[in-house]
Amino acid sequence: MCARAVLFRAARVYLLDADMNDQHHKPSTVSETVEQSYPVIGMHCASCVKTVEDAIASVPGVGSASVNLASSKATVAFDTHKVHPQDLANAVQSAGYKLIVPEQRKAQSHDEHADPTDHSAHLFEGAQAEELADYRRRTLISAALTLGIMILGLRHMFGGLFNVPWHGDPRLELLLCTPIVWWAAMPFHRASWAAARHFRTDMNTLISVGTLIAYTYSLVATLWPSALSTDGTAPPVYFETAAMIVTLILAGRWMEAGAKGKARAAIKELLNLRPSKARVKRNGEYTDTDVATLVRGDEVLLRPGERLAADGVVILGSSSVDESMLTGEPLPVSKGIGDPVTGGTLNTTGSITYRVLRSGSEATLAQIARLVEHAQGSKPPIQKLVDRIAAVFVPAVFGIAALTFVIWAFVGPEPRLLMAMKAAVAVLIIACPCALGLATPAAIMVGTGRGAQLGLLFKNAAALEALAHIDTVILDKTGTVTVGKPSVVGEWISPDVKPREFWGVVAAMEERSEHPLAAAILKRAEDETHDDVAVSDFAAESGKGISAHVGSALWQIGRLDWLRGELRDDSVLGQKLQIWENSGNSIALVARDNEFVGGFAIGDRTKPDAAATVKRLKSHGWKVLLLSGDRKKSVERVGAELGVDDVIAEVMPEDKHEIVTMLQTQGHRVAMVGDGINDAPALAAADLGIAIGTGTDVAKEAADITVLGKHACAIADGVDLGKKTLATIRGNLFWAFFYNVAAIPIAAGVFYPITGWLLSPAIAAGAMAFSSIFVLTNSLRLRGFRPISSI
């Protein structure tokens, strides 16, 4: 079974079986814990995340719950015999949010591998579209009414220009502001009330309380002015403040929802690569059929320019397939009979017929999407600090706002009560923890999504943070920085033999040989123009070589100590042999009638970009080691060619794990790169495991990062993307913390005695909305990441 076609069996650890929802009603005494992700509607800040996590965790039978604000998804581990997904939805709904679970549907015969979350995904997209439209509607209507209030509020500008009866009447402002506060802002009030019923506070509480304070004060000042005035003058009103707060925050949420949609676009783009129809052979005829009906064994005709509908194997024809969406490699790959093909890849030239091996949720594309979604939903260790801060952030803000009001009310300038109210409201509004909650998950979502488009898969968010601490990277030699199969790396042909005859004899003999190195020599011979040669009396001696007659001449290809020819050390061949041996290559000599007429050095070629990859890894300040079970001379040759810091040769498979742990005990943080089964223990033990996607499934299951490309540069590309994503997370967190540390004192009026600065609540609302949008747009820059190898 092709490793690429069964890509990432490890992803199944994170998935539910398609019949999971039916198992809730099956009697069983055996505990079965699974992990599943569910979309959540209505979250907007770090406090929302904490509320939803606590609500889910309170359900008996739930092992753990992790909620991602950027992806709007909750990843839950629970016992299927104690918890039904609807139980989770009910708990989240009681907290004021909406968790979407798939409907119970039995798989039909034609889609037995259908993903049970497909239906919930459609519901989620519909709910998101509805939420986006709702914010758009509320924002536009609120903005229109706010504009009217602002015009009415600018009495000094209109007093000399117009003589109208409504001039300066705050009751008109009240009339316009009321629908803004009680309709446009209703999502904030509703969520705030839901939190209050559970004795919690969140960003909606800050917005709701701040808006209602400004509105209620203005309402009293308009209808009962004497209650707030002792000298008979009309007290000022702040309807425009309440209206601006609601309008700006609604506009921010509208833009935020759109930016989140862009952040999720990578996975959606991957899944959209699957065509909706396929030309399938049914009852002896090819007909256009819905892809959802494909089953294992179906024969599908693929024409030029079409995308593959499922994973399979070519049974007829040949073509070139663009697999860049899977591996990030731009050049099409030739496909012929027996070659594997992957769903979503693009057929470029010829027509082929392939037999379906995996479709639906079993297909490579679906498994990659689910693996990336899991990585997007996971939290790096740094997020734990953010979660702890978020848990106390809103209550702390209320405390600061209350203290601000008290101080201004007692020692502030006149009118003290009004100044105290404005400062307290400004503190409540500007300190919304949206940016704090989005800082980490937004960057992770965009970074891992972009990685999936480039063939760089991150198993979880912790892998990103691990990159920051690595100081040593170990590269397994075979298949990682070398091609992974023997080839001719050096040759010599005697001037006494005709090249066309020489290559013809070598090709004729080696195609009859079963020696592991014969294929390398045969491929080299086939690259040269040669005569068709008839051989007779072919014979092979195990561990020594092969022989045959061509006409009356005896030809032999094999080891030096088996051939009877004389070899002088100072001859051209003798000098080459010495160089080849010092490089650790395997050597095969060619003799005709006991006279040497040729020789080959056979080794594992380094990948063309391997040296540049090592240089890029070292540019991060990492020490690069080359590890292999091969002979020391061979490993040293490759190490010298690549420029690594040190080599470790003749290592048994079990020793690789011990080398990693030994370096760790010496205080090093180790990244291990490999592709074979014998690399799996070392990959698992390393602080960061990186698997080459053309390797075995076992290696990929043990790794934290998997690069699907076969080129060595993909390793450095994965590291570069990971570090860039981590730098974006740090930048977001710095902004989120800096924003609140700087904004809250300004809003509270700390600098007023010195500078006269006092922040309007409306400006505070704009600043709060901008902070969230800044974090999202900063994260979206990762969508433009381009690996150096493609530039």
Side-chain angles (χ1 to χ4, degrees):
M1 184 177 295
C2 174
R4 187 172 3 182
V6 290
L7 197 61
F8 301 128
R9 195 177 303 150
R12 295 175 185 146
V13 175
Y14 311 116
L15 306 176
L16 282 174
D17 187 83
D19 296 323
M20 180 204 72
N21 291 318
D22 296 328
Q23 293 178 0
H24 175 72
H25 303 290
K26 295 178 181 179
S28 174
T29 58
V30 180
S31 174
E32 181 181 358
T33 299
V34 294
E35 189 172 88
Q36 177 65 299
S37 293
Y38 298 102
V40 180
I41 299 294
M43 298 188 300
H44 296 283
C45 71
S47 296
C48 300
V49 170
K50 185 70 168 65
T51 299
V52 174
E53 284 182 343
D54 289 346
I56 296 173
S58 67
V59 177
V62 171
S64 64
S66 176
V67 177
N68 186 296
L69 180 59
S71 64
S72 298
K73 288 191 176 182
T75 301
V76 189
F78 59 95
D79 186 343
T80 56
H81 300 297
K82 296 180 180 179
V83 181
H84 188 273
Q86 191 58 46
D87 299 333
L88 306 176
N90 294 339
V92 172
Q93 185 175 8
S94 68
Y97 304 88
K98 182 179 180 181
L99 183 141
I100 299 176
V101 298
E103 292 181 355
Q104 292 188 13
R105 298 178 301 160
K106 292 185 178 180
Q108 304 297 320
S109 59
H110 64 272
D111 66 344
E112 61 180 353
H113 299 303
D115 193 332
T117 61
D118 280 348
H119 184 58
S120 64
H122 290 304
L123 289 175
F124 183 39
E125 290 180 5
Q128 284 182 312
E130 183 180 337
E131 183 183 43
L132 187 63
D134 183 56
Y135 278 131
R136 178 179 181 272
R137 181 170 57 252
R138 292 178 188 271
T139 300
L140 294 178
I141 294 175
S142 180
L145 295 173
T146 300
L147 180 61
I149 294 172
M150 293 178 66
I151 293 174
L152 290 171
L154 297 176
R155 301 181 179 90
H156 62 283
M157 292 182 62
F158 289 88
L161 298 176
F162 301 100
N163 185 17
V164 292
W166 47 262
H167 167 64
D169 191 342
R171 288 176 296 182
L172 290 175
E173 294 184 44
L174 171 62
L175 185 65
L176 294 177
C177 187
T178 297
I180 296 176
V181 172
W182 294 112
W183 173 76
M186 186 51 65
F188 309 138
H189 302 323
R190 190 182 298 117
S192 175
W193 174 244
R197 284 190 292 113
H198 292 84
F199 304 100
R200 291 193 181 95
T201 56
D202 59 18
M203 67 159 284
N204 294 293
T205 309
L206 298 177
I207 298 170
S208 179
V209 171
T211 303
L212 290 176
I213 288 174
Y215 174 81
T216 302
Y217 173 87
S218 301
L219 175 67
V220 173
T222 300
L223 300 181
W224 303 282
S226 60
L228 298 175
S229 175
T230 57
D231 57 3
T233 60
V237 293
Y238 295 97
F239 289 119
E240 76 278 4
T241 296
M244 284 290 291
I245 289 172
V246 174
T247 300
L248 288 171
I249 294 176
L250 283 173
R253 285 200 176 179
W254 179 17
M255 289 184 282
E256 178 186 314
K260 283 183 179 180
K262 291 180 181 179
R264 288 185 284 264
I267 295 300
K268 189 173 181 180
E269 288 172 8
L270 274 180
L271 295 178
N272 284 343
L273 292 174
R274 298 177 298 190
S276 59
K277 298 286 184 179
R279 197 164 181 79
V280 187
K281 189 174 184 180
R282 297 276 168 83
N283 300 321
E285 296 183 356
Y286 285 98
T287 57
D288 288 333
T289 307
D290 195 318
V291 168
T293 66
L294 289 179
V295 296
R296 182 182 178 90
D298 276 343
E299 294 182 10
V300 182
L301 175 63
L302 187 70
R303 290 166 291 198
E306 295 180 338
R307 290 192 180 273
L308 282 95
D311 297 352
V313 60
V314 178
I315 59 174
L316 183 65
S318 61
S319 182
S320 293
V321 176
D322 181 357
E323 296 183 334
S324 58
M325 50 71 59
L326 186 68
T327 64
E329 298 175 13
L331 296 179
V333 180
S334 297
K335 299 290 183 180
I337 295 175
D339 288 334
V341 287
T342 306
T345 54
L346 177 66
N347 184 32
T348 59
T349 53
S351 294
I352 59 174
T353 301
Y354 65 95
R355 179 176 291 112
V356 173
L357 297 180
R358 281 162 298 279
S359 61
S361 64
E362 285 194 337
T364 298
L365 202 59
Q367 292 192 37
I368 289 176
R370 291 197 296 272
L371 184 63
V372 174
E373 283 186 337
H374 174 80
Q376 291 179 338
S378 62
K379 295 182 180 182
I382 196 173
Q383 184 65 24
K384 294 179 181 179
L385 172 63
V386 177
D387 291 343
R388 287 197 296 269
I389 293 174
V392 299
F393 187 84
V394 174
V397 169
F398 269 106
I400 295 172
L403 182 62
T404 299
F405 183 87
V406 170
I407 293 175
W408 275 92
F410 280 95
V411 300
E414 293 292 347
R416 293 177 181 177
L417 188 62
L418 295 181
M419 298 284 276
M421 184 196 72
K422 290 182 66 174
V425 170
V427 170
L428 290 175
I429 298 302
I430 204 168
C432 233
C434 303
L436 194 62
L438 288 168
T440 299
I444 289 173
M445 167 167 284
V446 181
T448 54
R450 179 57 179 155
Q453 293 176 322
L454 298 171
L456 308 169
L457 301 187
F458 295 86
K459 192 172 186 179
N460 50 48
L464 294 171
E465 194 160 344
L467 282 168
H469 308 291
I470 298 299
D471 58 40
T472 304
V473 59
I474 301 175
L475 300 174
D476 180 67
K477 182 177 76 71
T478 306
T480 301
V481 295
T482 65
V483 177
K485 58 183 179 180
S487 60
V488 174
V489 296
E491 62 189 52
W492 173 80
I493 304 176
S494 170
D496 298 330
V497 64
K498 297 178 180 179
R500 291 176 61 96
E501 177 190 12
F502 175 83
W503 291 116
V505 172
V506 169
M509 293 177 65
E510 292 293 6
E511 69 179 359
R512 291 167 171 78
S513 174
E514 297 180 355
H515 192 276
L517 301 183
I521 300 175
L522 177 60
K523 186 180 184 305
R524 178 67 187 91
E526 290 176 341
D527 291 339
E528 296 289 338
T529 302
H530 59 264
D531 297 331
D532 292 330
V533 176
V535 300
S536 59
D537 303 327
F538 177 84
E541 293 191 34
S542 179
K544 297 180 179 179
I546 57 177
S547 61
H549 280 90
V550 178
S552 59
L554 174 65
W555 286 75
Q556 296 170 293
I557 305 176
R559 293 171 49 176
L560 173 63
D561 56 5
W562 176 65
L563 301 175
R564 297 189 180 89
E566 294 184 4
L567 179 65
R568 299 195 320 272
D569 292 340
D570 60 349
S571 66
V572 175
L573 178 58
Q575 293 173 354
K576 285 189 173 293
L577 280 178
Q578 190 173 19
I579 296 173
W580 293 344
E581 287 175 346
N582 290 338
S583 298
N585 295 304
S586 298
I587 299 172
L589 300 181
V590 183
R592 181 183 61 185
D593 290 333
N594 298 325
E595 180 183 350
F596 292 112
V597 293
F600 300 103
I602 303 167
D604 190 1
R605 288 185 183 274
T606 59
K607 294 179 179 179
D609 54 356
T613 298
V614 171
K615 185 176 180 180
R616 287 172 61 187
L617 294 175
K618 293 174 73 172
S619 70
H620 293 295
W622 293 357
K623 181 179 181 180
V624 181
L625 308 179
L626 185 64
L627 183 68
S628 178
D630 288 352
R631 292 169 298 172
K632 186 175 182 180
K633 287 185 177 181
S634 177
V635 181
E636 287 177 340
R637 173 186 62 82
V638 175
E641 186 178 339
L642 300 182
V644 300
D645 295 298
D646 201 357
V647 300
I648 306 173
E650 299 177 0
V651 177
M652 298 298 290
E654 59 270 20
D655 294 336
K656 294 183 178 181
H657 175 275
E658 293 181 5
I659 289 171
V660 169
T661 55
M662 178 189 70
L663 288 169
Q664 289 171 327
T665 57
Q666 295 174 356
H668 295 287
R669 303 299 293 270
V670 181
M672 173 71 192
V673 186
D675 75 330
I677 291 176
N678 58 6
D679 298 325
L683 288 170
D687 298 286
L688 181 71
I690 304 176
I692 302 299
T694 51
T696 66
D697 291 332
V698 175
K700 286 176 286 191
E701 288 179 14
D704 301 300
I705 302 175
T706 301
V707 291
L708 305 187
K710 64 183 178 181
H711 297 303
C713 63
I715 302 168
D717 291 340
V719 171
D720 289 347
L721 175 59
K723 280 187 167 285
K724 193 172 183 65
T725 302
L726 186 60
T728 302
I729 291 173
R730 287 172 169 168
N732 287 349
L733 287 174
F734 172 80
W735 166 258
F737 282 111
F738 171 79
Y739 161 79
N740 280 291
V741 168
I744 291 177
I746 294 175
V750 170
F751 303 105
Y752 180 82
I754 303 173
T755 63
W757 293 350
L758 190 62
L759 201 61
S760 163
I763 296 176
M768 186 277 293
F770 171 77
S771 68
S772 297
I773 295 169
F774 173 86
V775 165
L776 283 167
T777 53
N778 186 49
S779 300
L780 286 172
R781 292 188 306 114
L782 290 168
R783 296 178 70 190
F785 173 82
R786 291 181 63 194
I788 292 177
S789 55
S790 67
I791 298 176

